[in-house]
């Protein structure tokens, strides 16, 4: 019973070896997702027409990779091939590409080899699932393993999602393998945002240097400075002219003051000279008065001696007395004569003061006049020097143009940035390393109570789930479905469409029986279910018969048809857009598609042409039938011009079953008419769909819909 596990694991190993990989692929490798673009409502990365594995970490970095510069962690949401980025915060200029670590490990072999007691997987491996009971949704709540077969739009994914949520609410651990949008949330960190801001500032400065060099191309700073000095000299000369006028006025005032001071000095000197005899008499008068005082004192002494009794020498003293009296009289006469000719002491003092003041005034006036004269002469010399370097008309035009373009300020900015560049380079390395470690573990998956993923979440067979639900099993290899079912403790439900595109195998592996069985086959083919009749006859398979999508083989009015729950379905239509053999105007068709539409091309080369024409219309899903499998859209355009889909019949069936409302088939009507019955083009012709010509306006606008998610531009 357990031999199938070893055989399946060996088949997976053989397939992995032929595809150039290993079972345990490294998850430390960073993959370049592409450039980051601004869609108008946020940053996006266009990943349409590609299928990614599970995202583990996303960083915004430069073309060299996240380990060769700044790497900013960012939260993302991947939906329909468009990776929408959350606000990353301050972003360095060089971080213009998205890099991701992707879970590329194929866990099928390790899970299969590690399975212990797994009765559900063993029963499914023998092709004998448990029998069905009642409603298909009930299978998700019953022990055992069962299958659900349903065509496109039959509600398989909705049924599994609703059941998973209900089981999770009841406390069960649920694994749901389904195509779902991937969401990574970046945990906010103020320290990381601060480092990002510092790096953004450094990047802005570094990116500014080449821009400044380009702006300053041909600018000669030395020549500009020389011209600016000459122009400034003229402006300064004009200012000095104004100062010279004021200085000349000051000099005139000072010269007038000096002349007045000299005149006053001459007058004071004349008065002082005229009073010279009076001053001499005044001096003589003072001397005579002093002598008179001495003589009076001598007379008084002599009188006292003479009036005493007789003594020897009395005659001599009497003679001296007589002489003193005669001298006294003479002095009095002379004093009277001098008094008439001498000036008063007040007058003499006034003349001296006037002469001294006149000298002082003259000194101050001379100093002021000298200073004013020196200032005038200096201004004359400075003006003459400045006027000697008068700028030419060409100099003036050159200076005006440089100022108009702001080149001097740009040069100053460039010089400042260049001086700081060496220090910034060392600082940048430290900040980049700190940002890297702050970003480790910043991006986390937002997994709810239900573990939703597109592939096996891990390789540990010992980690089990109460319930395992597998969607899109018609396109999954049998080995993956068995490995997932082996993780279930008591319930497993596998849903899918046997008509979906089969798992792809390389030509070199198609002759390997074991690989073809376990890696190229599906659980439905393994259980013998290839048609709807096989599913109805199988005891372990539920069958969903209703469809909410447009069907190519019956372009009928579906209004009035009801699901099992009584829900009315909308009317759908199929429209063939005839190119009349002309080349396709991809841009015109893209511009007329409503929002939320899809374009399905037969191969990647054709999808690339549609992507190029789409440009920044990120609301459109563009890809191949394999990348679009499991999705649904209100409006779908299938390209039947780039290829006739003859070798892609399953892909064609999947592509034409993606539309809920309108299915446009871009084809050449003549090629449809001549197509062999049973081929994809023959089926389109046999469907009798509405035929329209593709004109310059592209695809006709679809009829109005009540679905708020669909908006026609």
């Amino acid at each position: 019973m357990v031999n199938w596990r070893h055989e399946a694991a060996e088949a997976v190993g053989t397939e992995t070896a032929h595809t150039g990989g290993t079972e345990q692929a490294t998850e430390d490798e960073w993959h370049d997702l592409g450039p980051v673009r601004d869609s108008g409502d946020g940053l996006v990365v266009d990943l349409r027409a590609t299928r990614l594995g599970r995202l583990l970490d996303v960083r915004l970095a430069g073309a060299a990779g996240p380990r060769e510069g700044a790497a900013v962690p960012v939260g993302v949401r991947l939906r329909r091939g468009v990776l929408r980025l959350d606000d990353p915060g301050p972003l360095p200029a060089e971080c213009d590409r998205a890099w991701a670590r992707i879970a590329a490990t194929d866990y099928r072999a390790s899970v299969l080899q590690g399975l212990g007691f797994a009765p559900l997987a063993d029963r499914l491996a023998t092709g004998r699932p448990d029998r069905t009971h009642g409603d298909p949704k009930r299978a998700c709540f019953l022990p055992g393993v069962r299958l659900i077969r349903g065509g496109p739009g039959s509600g398989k994914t909705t049924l599994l999602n609703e059941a998973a949520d209900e089981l999770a609410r009841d406390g069960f651990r649920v694994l749901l393998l389904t195509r779902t949008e991937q969401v990574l949330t970046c945990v906010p960190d103020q320290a990381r945002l601060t480092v990002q801001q510092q790096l953004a500032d450094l990047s802005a400065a570094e990116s500014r240097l080449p821009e400044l060099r380009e702006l300053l191309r041909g600018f000669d700073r030395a020549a500009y400075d020389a011209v600016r000095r000459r122009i400034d000299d003229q402006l300064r000369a004009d200012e000095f002219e104004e100062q010279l006028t004021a200085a000349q006025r000051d000099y005139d005032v000072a010269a007038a003051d000096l002349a007045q001071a000299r005149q006053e000095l001459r007058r004071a000197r004349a008065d002082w000279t005229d009073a010279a005899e009076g001053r001499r008499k005044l001096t003589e008068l003072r001397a005579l008065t002093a002598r008179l005082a001495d003589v009076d004192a001598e007379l008084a002494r002599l009188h006292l001696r003479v009036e005493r009794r007789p003594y020897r020498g009395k005659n001599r003293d009497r003679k001296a007395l007589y002489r003193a009296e005669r001298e006294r009289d003479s002095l009095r006469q002379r004093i009277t004569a001098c008094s008439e000719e001498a000036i008063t002491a007040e007058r003499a003092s006034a003349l001296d003061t006037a002469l001294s003041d006149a000298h002082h005034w003259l000194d101050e006036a001379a100093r002021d006049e000298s200073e004013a004269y020196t200032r005038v002469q200096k201004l004359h010399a400075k003006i003459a020097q400045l006027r000697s370097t008068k700028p030419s008309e060409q100099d003036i035009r050159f200076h005006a143009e440089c100022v108009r373009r702001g080149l001097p300020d740009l040069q100053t900015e460039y010089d400042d940035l260049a001086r700081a560049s060496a220090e910034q380079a060392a600082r940048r390395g430290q900040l980049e390393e700190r940002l890297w470690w702050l970003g480790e573990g910043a991006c986390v998956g937002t997994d709810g109570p239900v573990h939703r993923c597109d592939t096996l979440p891990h390789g540990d067979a010992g980690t089990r789930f109460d319930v395992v639900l597998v969607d899109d099993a018609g396109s999954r290899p049998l080995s993956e479905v068995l490995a997932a079912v082996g993780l279930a403790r008591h319930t497993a439900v596998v849903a899918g469409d046997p008509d979906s595109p089969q798992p792809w195998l390389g030509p070199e592996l198609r002759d390997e029986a074991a690989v073809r069985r376990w890696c190229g086959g599906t659980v439905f083919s393994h259980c013998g279910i290839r048609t709807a009749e096989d599913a109805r006859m199988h005891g372990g398979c539920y069958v969903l018969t209703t469809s909410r999508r447009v069907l190519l083989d019956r372009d009928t009015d579906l209004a009035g048809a009801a699901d099992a729950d009584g829900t009315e379905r909308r009317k759908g239509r199929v429209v063939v857009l005839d190119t009349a053999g002309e080349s396709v105007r991809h841009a015109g068709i893209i511009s007329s598609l409503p929002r939320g539409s899809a374009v399905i091309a037969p191969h990647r080369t054709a999808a690339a042409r549609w992507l190029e024409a789409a440009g920044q219309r990120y609301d459109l899903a563009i890809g191949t039938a394999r990348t679009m499998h499991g999705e649904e859209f209100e409006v779908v355009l299938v390209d039947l011009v780039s290829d006739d889909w003859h070798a892609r019949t399953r892909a064609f069936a999947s592509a034409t079953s993606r539309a809920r409302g309108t299915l446009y088939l871009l084809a050449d009507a003549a090629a449809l008419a001549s197509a062999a019955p049973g081929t994809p083009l023959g089926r389109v012709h046999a469907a009798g769909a509405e035929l329209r010509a593709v004109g310059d306006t592209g695809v006709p606008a679809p009829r109005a819909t009540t679905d708020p998610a669909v908006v026609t531009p």
Side-chain angles (χ1 to χ4, degrees):
M1 180 64 68
V2 297
N3 288 337
W4 69 269
R5 306 178 186 180
H6 179 70
E7 182 181 348
E10 285 192 343
V12 171
T14 302
E15 179 195 18
T16 304
H18 275 78
T19 55
T22 60
E23 178 190 351
Q24 296 296 329
T26 177
E27 294 180 349
D28 293 330
E29 180 181 356
W30 287 91
H31 302 268
D32 185 5
L33 302 183
V36 178
R37 297 185 174 93
D38 188 355
S39 66
D41 59 349
L43 301 178
V44 300
V45 179
D46 192 354
L47 300 175
R48 293 174 291 187
T50 60
R51 294 194 69 172
L52 290 179
R54 182 163 54 93
L55 297 174
L56 302 176
D57 193 1
V58 178
R59 303 283 183 102
L60 298 182
R67 290 304 286 156
E68 301 299 328
V72 178
V74 61
V76 297
R77 180 181 297 272
L78 178 61
R79 177 173 172 79
R80 292 180 174 175
V82 178
L83 188 70
R84 299 191 177 274
L85 311 182
D86 297 339
D87 182 9
L91 193 62
E94 69 272 15
C95 296
D96 57 353
R97 301 186 71 84
W99 294 77
R101 287 193 300 111
I102 300 174
T105 301
D106 190 345
Y107 294 116
R108 289 178 293 169
S110 60
V111 170
L112 290 170
Q113 291 173 347
L115 283 179
F117 180 69
L120 301 184
D122 290 336
R123 286 205 297 273
L124 190 59
T126 61
R128 294 194 299 271
D130 294 286
R131 297 190 62 81
T132 60
H133 295 282
D135 185 7
K137 187 174 182 180
R138 180 175 171 77
C140 302
F141 300 88
L142 295 176
V145 56
R146 294 171 179 81
L147 307 179
I148 298 178
R149 188 268 183 195
S154 57
K156 303 182 296 299
T157 303
T158 302
L159 183 149
L160 295 181
N161 276 289
E162 292 176 352
D165 293 338
E166 187 173 344
L167 286 165
R169 286 194 296 271
D170 291 340
F172 292 100
R173 193 161 184 256
V174 183
L175 169 64
L176 174 58
L177 293 189
T178 183
R179 291 196 64 180
T180 181
E181 65 178 22
Q182 298 192 49
V183 179
L184 287 180
T185 301
C186 187
V187 179
D189 184 354
Q190 187 58 45
R192 188 181 70 246
L193 294 177
T194 300
V195 174
Q196 289 180 212
Q197 183 63 61
Q198 293 172 340
L199 283 171
D201 295 340
L202 290 179
S203 296
E206 292 173 358
S207 62
R208 181 66 172 160
L209 282 174
E211 179 183 350
L212 290 174
R213 278 195 292 268
E214 183 63 26
L215 293 173
L216 294 170
R217 187 187 300 274
F219 175 62
D220 187 347
R221 182 59 183 263
Y224 170 80
D225 289 341
V227 171
R228 186 190 63 183
R229 282 194 297 270
R230 290 196 290 270
I231 294 177
D232 290 345
D233 287 347
Q234 302 310 304
L235 297 177
R236 292 174 60 198
D238 293 339
E239 295 177 359
F240 287 148
E241 291 283 0
E242 297 178 359
Q243 296 179 19
L244 178 61
T245 302
Q248 189 65 51
R249 287 197 300 268
D250 294 341
Y251 174 73
D252 294 340
V253 172
D257 288 345
L258 179 60
Q260 186 177 359
R262 286 173 176 171
Q263 182 178 359
E264 181 65 21
L265 179 61
R266 286 192 295 268
R267 186 187 63 77
R269 281 179 176 175
D271 291 344
W272 192 82
T273 302
D274 293 343
E277 184 63 23
R279 288 197 309 277
R280 187 179 65 81
K281 291 296 183 178
L282 177 62
T283 302
E284 184 180 356
L285 177 61
R286 289 173 176 170
L288 294 175
T289 302
R291 178 61 184 162
L292 178 62
D294 293 340
V295 170
D296 286 340
E298 181 65 18
L299 286 174
R301 185 181 63 81
L302 291 174
H303 276 295
L304 290 176
R305 291 185 64 184
V306 170
E307 290 177 357
R308 291 179 183 179
R309 63 172 186 248
Y311 60 90
R312 185 182 292 179
K314 186 175 181 180
N315 291 331
R316 186 178 61 250
D317 289 338
R318 188 172 291 160
K319 291 178 181 180
L321 178 63
Y322 293 155
R323 286 195 300 270
E325 288 177 352
R326 286 194 298 270
E327 183 179 0
R328 180 190 62 188
D329 296 338
S330 174
L331 288 173
R332 286 178 177 174
Q333 291 176 359
R334 292 175 61 187
I335 288 174
T336 301
C338 287
S339 298
E340 294 176 357
E341 297 179 9
I343 61 174
T344 64
E346 291 78 6
R347 174 62 177 167
S349 176
L351 290 175
D352 290 339
T353 300
L355 181 60
S356 177
D357 291 343
H359 277 290
H360 181 69
W361 184 13
L362 179 62
D363 291 341
E364 290 185 350
R367 184 173 58 254
D368 294 341
E369 188 270 346
S370 177
E371 291 177 353
Y373 178 78
T374 302
R375 177 173 172 75
V376 169
Q377 294 303 314
K378 286 183 177 180
L379 288 173
H380 275 299
K382 192 65 176 178
I383 292 172
Q385 178 186 359
L386 296 176
R387 296 298 188 195
S388 65
T389 58
K390 185 176 182 180
S392 64
E393 290 295 330
Q394 182 179 359
D395 289 342
I396 295 175
R397 289 195 299 270
F398 170 73
H399 180 270
E401 179 63 17
C402 291
V403 172
R404 185 186 67 80
R405 295 169 57 186
L407 297 181
D409 293 338
L410 294 178
Q411 183 67 53
T412 302
E413 181 182 359
Y414 177 84
D415 294 340
D416 293 340
L417 292 177
R419 281 193 297 269
S421 60
E423 177 185 354
Q424 290 175 352
R427 188 179 176 215
R428 167 177 281 279
Q430 298 172 355
L431 291 175
E432 288 174 352
E433 190 64 20
R434 177 168 171 76
L435 177 61
W436 174 263
W437 292 112
L438 287 174
E440 285 292 284
C443 291
V444 295
T446 56
D447 195 12
V450 178
H451 192 95
R452 288 180 170 87
C453 54
D454 193 20
T455 59
L456 289 174
H458 53 73
D460 183 8
T463 302
R464 299 300 183 95
F465 296 88
D466 298 322
V467 180
V468 173
L469 308 177
V470 181
D471 191 17
D472 195 22
S475 296
R476 298 182 185 273
L478 175 61
S479 56
E480 181 182 3
V481 174
L482 290 174
V485 172
L487 300 177
R489 288 193 178 94
H490 55 75
T491 301
V493 176
V494 180
D497 182 6
D499 295 331
S500 299
Q502 299 295 289
W504 186 86
L505 284 179
E508 68 279 1
L509 294 175
R510 294 171 186 171
D511 294 332
E512 297 280 346
V515 176
R516 190 169 62 250
R517 177 185 182 188
W518 299 105
C519 301
T522 67
V523 67
F524 291 102
S525 62
H526 183 70
C527 294
I529 300 174
R530 291 177 173 80
T531 65
E533 185 62 25
D534 294 338
R536 283 191 290 270
M537 297 301 296
H538 198 286
C541 181
Y542 294 94
V543 179
L544 303 179
T545 58
T546 59
S547 177
R548 295 175 180 270
R549 298 184 188 166
V550 177
L551 299 178
L552 174 63
D553 295 329
R554 51 190 187 93
D555 180 24
T556 57
D557 188 353
L558 299 180
D563 296 337
D565 59 358
T567 302
E568 294 290 331
R569 290 194 297 248
R570 284 195 309 241
K571 181 178 179 180
R573 57 181 180 151
V574 181
V575 179
V576 174
L577 301 175
D578 182 16
T579 61
E582 297 182 0
S583 60
V584 178
R585 298 184 179 91
H586 295 82
I589 295 175
I590 286 291
S591 64
S592 59
L593 285 174
R595 291 182 60 85
S597 302
V599 177
I600 303 179
H603 45 71
R604 285 181 293 181
T605 303
R609 289 197 293 267
W610 286 104
L611 278 172
E612 183 180 358
Q616 295 192 0
R617 282 208 59 182
Y618 300 112
D619 60 290
L620 299 180
I622 300 176
T624 63
R626 189 171 293 276
T627 61
M628 293 288 191
H629 186 70
E631 301 282 359
E632 64 176 19
F633 308 89
E634 183 67 22
V635 177
V636 174
L637 173 71
V638 180
D639 181 3
L640 304 181
V641 177
S642 301
D643 188 87
D644 61 4
W645 298 73
H646 183 73
R648 300 177 173 87
T649 54
R650 283 181 176 271
F652 176 77
S654 176
T656 55
S657 60
R658 300 299 103 199
R660 294 192 302 264
T662 304
L663 174 64
Y664 288 112
L665 302 173
L666 185 66
D668 181 6
L672 296 180
S674 60
T679 62
L681 297 186
R683 290 178 57 193
V684 173
H685 181 66
E690 177 185 352
L691 183 65
R692 290 189 183 184
V694 178
D696 294 334
T697 58
V699 178
R703 289 180 294 188
T705 175
T706 58
D707 190 344
V710 181
V711 181
T712 301

